[in-house]
Amino acid sequence: MSAPVAGLHHVTAYAHDPQQNLDFYTGVLGLRLVKQTVLFNNPSAAFQAPTMYHFYYADETGTPGSVLTFKPHHSIQKGQVGRGQATATALTIPEGAVEFWTDRLREAASATLYPPTQRFGRTVLPFQDPDGQPLELIAGTSDIAPWTDGPVPPEHAVRGIHGVTLHPNNAQQTAAVLQLLGYEQVDHAPTPQDGDWTRFRVPGPEHAQFVDLYNEPNMHEGRWGYGTVHHVAFRATDDEHQRALRQRLRDAGHTPTTVKDRNYFHSIYFREPNGVNIEIATDPPGFLHDEPVDELGRTLKLPPFLQDRREQVEAQLTDISL
Ligand code: ZN
């Protein structure tokens, strides 16, 4: 049996306006923009300049498990959060930072803040980003260091991903997928509505360890669009680990893709039986492989096959200011 996944690598969502997305995740949440690039899905297709940015927000260096990524574009319609999706992404904040963040999010016109709640013994601060994407800040410990050069004082700063909530139609099927990836069920609790949460944890580093399955039968079906998560990515420590996980998935009847080169990691994808898109991404080569740590995110980076067409690509993108 190959090693379990090493927690979550990143979560990717759709957004509507690139500038609004940047302003919120760097200016309000205080994450670092560690990479601005474009969507580059199919290098072999007849060339069409990509028109969509791909932004990566993280800690100082883009540590796997601290990364939120966005595909922002004005042509994307509004999505609906619901069954068959990842319905909330949670970030860790220090134990003493709940009041700080309550005030900060209440003052941010672009955020919608909800009353704090408790889940599995921890304080949860639920809110929505400007596109209506559900997020949570959860007070706890994390081995991700705060970014010391952002707008949020380091003692309150976000410490990476805490976990995600998935809302499958059939929680047992999705639980089996998580167990295949090495997760163990660690807790169970009723929801304030008519359902329940089951918490899964994977051994390993103390960040991005949790997946909660939310089972609330009356919730409507999700529909993709801005304000919704496109996929959640789990961590493989290297290519060999990814190969072993891919084989394990195939042996269990899943149909993962071949390995795709995403420039900053290598990825395979599959859709679990309830429709949640899942990726397994490698730690290497990482975000420092095409720019030094001091310069991360400052300029548009393109993969090798687009570099000689930079002018054409830039002409397709809306202007942003950092
Ligand atoms: Zn991804």
Side-chain angles (χ1 to χ4, degrees):
M1 189 90 163
S2 51
V5 294
L8 292 159
H9 185 284
H10 64 266
V11 178
T12 294
Y14 291 106
H16 190 231
D17 181 70
Q19 188 66 53
Q20 184 183 52
N21 183 258
L22 265 173
D23 291 345
F24 185 76
Y25 283 90
T26 61
V28 177
L29 287 190
L31 305 183
R32 186 180 189 192
L33 177 70
V34 293
K35 198 66 66 183
Q36 43 162 317
T37 182
V38 291
L39 273 197
F40 40 92
N41 276 334
N42 191 354
S44 61
F47 180 70
Q48 280 189 313
T51 58
M52 205 186 287
Y53 282 110
H54 197 174
F55 295 147
Y56 293 79
Y57 306 104
D59 66 352
E60 184 180 11
T61 59
T63 307
S66 74
V67 185
L68 302 183
T69 101
F70 286 88
K71 309 172 183 191
H73 201 273
H74 286 115
S75 69
I76 297 173
Q77 79 277 20
K78 173 95 174 102
Q80 177 169 272
V81 176
R83 280 185 288 118
Q85 290 179 340
T87 50
T89 302
L91 304 169
T92 303
I93 55 168
E95 297 280 1
V98 173
E99 206 178 309
F100 170 88
W101 280 102
T102 304
D103 292 344
R104 188 174 179 85
L105 291 170
R106 190 179 289 136
E107 282 163 22
S110 50
T112 308
L113 181 66
Y114 297 96
T117 162
Q118 293 282 322
R119 189 159 88 240
F120 299 119
R122 297 182 190 222
T123 302
V124 180
L125 203 56
F127 64 103
Q128 291 181 350
D129 79 357
D131 289 321
Q133 193 201 336
L135 297 162
E136 297 169 332
L137 295 177
I138 297 187
T141 53
S142 165
D143 56 17
I144 297 270
W147 188 35
T148 54
D149 223 9
V152 175
E155 69 268 28
H156 299 307
V158 167
R159 306 285 189 87
I161 295 173
H162 183 273
V164 289
T165 299
L166 307 182
H167 189 154
N169 287 301
N170 180 328
Q172 277 177 343
Q173 285 179 339
T174 303
V177 173
L178 291 174
Q179 281 156 350
L180 198 60
L181 297 174
Y183 278 81
E184 291 165 11
Q185 183 178 326
V186 290
D187 221 334
H188 187 82
T191 70
Q193 291 83 29
D194 191 18
D196 54 58
W197 273 295
T198 310
R199 169 155 287 193
F200 290 80
R201 185 178 64 197
V202 78
E206 197 184 5
H207 63 268
Q209 277 187 301
F210 295 104
V211 176
D212 291 346
L213 294 189
Y214 181 56
N215 173 35
E216 206 280 86
N218 301 319
M219 196 172 180
H220 49 250
E221 198 73 34
R223 189 185 66 240
W224 84 275
Y226 73 80
T228 66
V229 168
H230 179 255
H231 64 264
V232 297
F234 294 97
R235 282 177 70 188
T237 48
D238 56 23
D239 291 326
E240 195 187 331
H241 186 200
Q242 185 183 59
R243 262 195 299 279
L245 290 164
R246 184 170 185 276
Q247 189 57 48
R248 197 194 295 181
L249 287 165
R250 284 171 60 90
D251 290 346
H254 298 282
T255 50
T257 64
T258 53
V259 178
K260 316 283 180 194
D261 183 356
R262 296 305 185 213
N263 216 18
Y264 308 105
F265 38 84
H266 304 147
S267 298
I268 60 172
Y269 302 85
F270 70 105
R271 188 180 281 250
E272 60 85 47
N274 286 286
V276 179
N277 288 315
I278 291 177
E279 173 181 353
I280 296 175
T282 56
D283 286 0
F287 295 96
L288 297 174
H289 108 98
D290 62 354
E291 53 189 347
V293 67
D294 290 350
E295 288 168 30
L296 284 176
R298 289 196 187 157
T299 57
L300 182 73
K301 303 305 284 185
L302 296 175
F305 70 92
L306 286 177
Q307 273 164 14
D308 59 345
R309 289 173 285 198
R310 173 172 284 272
E311 252 178 59
Q312 208 179 337
V313 172
E314 285 180 347
Q316 296 285 331
L317 296 169
T318 56
D319 288 338
I320 51 167
S321 62
L322 301 181

